[in-house]
């Protein structure tokens, strides 16, 4: 083996020792980004995402929202997932997502994900890192609501008034 090749091999080995899981981690992060993008997590957990047709820069993704969803369950707020993941280790994250919670969070979809996919989302959130403020606490039914909120309750049909039809 010539000396240059030996140096190259040594530096590659040193790199592997310093980041033993880096290739696998990168793959999980990329898969997490992909899953989050196709599963609509930003629709609720990123302010302005729906309104701008997804044109929110990635550094702001999944930092939660203080615009609540009001329904028979009270008011729920899309959590700041970056702060949630920052506080949990991997088993803690898996336990949290399997525990479930209030609507309209699509808990059944999360429960249907494979463990590998849930871990990939966790790795992606950790890769983005902690940012932003925690979302407000959920509000119990019948309590005052201090924030803007969507009313997630079916409204009765609103037939056209007779006058509006006469043309
Ligand atoms: C329709 C809106 C909506 C969508 C879409 C959505 N979420 Fe949520 N999510 C919420 C709301 C609202 C809460 C708060 C629920 C509660 O208080 O129990 C929440 C809570 C959570 C929590 C619990 C956080 C905590 O505080 O412990 C996790 C984890 C989570 N969402 C992950 C996801 C992931 C991953 C996706 C994409 C696959 C997603 N959510 C898509 C609305 C949504």
């Amino acid at each position: 083996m010539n000396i240059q090749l030996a140096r190259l091999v040594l530096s590659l080995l040193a790199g592997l020792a310093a980041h033993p899981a880096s290739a696998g981690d990168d793959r999980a992060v990329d898969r997490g980004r992909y899953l989050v993008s196709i599963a609509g997590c930003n629709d609720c957990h990123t302010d302005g995402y729906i309104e701008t047709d997804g044109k929110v820069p990635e550094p702001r993704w999944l930092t939660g929202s203080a615009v609540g969803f009001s329904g028979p369950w009270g008011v729920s707020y899309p959590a700041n997932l970056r702060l949630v993941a920052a506080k949990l280790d991997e088993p803690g994250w898996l336990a949290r997502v399997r525990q479930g919670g209030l609507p309209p969070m699509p808990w059944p979809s999360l429960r249907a994900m494979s463990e590998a996919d849930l871990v990939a989302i966790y790795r992606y959130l950790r890769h983005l890192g902690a940012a932003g403020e925690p979302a407000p606490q959920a509000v119990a039914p019948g309590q005052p609501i201090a924030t803007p909120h969507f009313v997630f309750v079916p409204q009765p049909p609103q037939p056209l008034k007779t006058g509006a039809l006469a043309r």
Side-chain angles (χ1 to χ4, degrees), residues 16-27:
L16 279 181
H19 308 284
S22 68
D25 275 358
D26 287 353
R27 269 200 300 279

Side-chain angles (χ1 to χ4, degrees), residues 95-142:
R96 174 64 194 99
V97 298
R98 283 173 181 148
Q99 179 194 347
L102 301 174
M105 165 64 203
W107 292 110
S109 312
L110 226 58
R111 269 197 300 271
M113 279 190 193
S114 69
E115 184 165 315
D117 284 351
L118 289 171
V119 166
I121 292 178
Y122 171 76
R123 298 265 175 90
Y124 175 59
L125 289 168
R126 298 284 294 217
H127 162 84
L128 286 174
E133 302 297 318
Q137 289 286 321
V139 179

Side-chain angles (χ1 to χ4, degrees), residues 70-92:
S70 154
W73 56 86
V75 185
S76 58
Y77 295 89
N80 181 331
L81 297 181
R82 305 209 359 210
L83 295 181
V84 170
K87 279 196 234 122
L88 296 172
D89 59 9
E90 215 166 271

Side-chain angles (χ1 to χ4, degrees), residues 50-74:
I50 289 274
E51 295 87 330
T52 62
D53 195 23
K55 291 188 187 60
V56 176
E58 195 178 356
R60 294 220 310 271
W61 283 16
L62 306 171
T63 50
S65 180
V67 181
F69 288 98
S70 154
W73 56 86

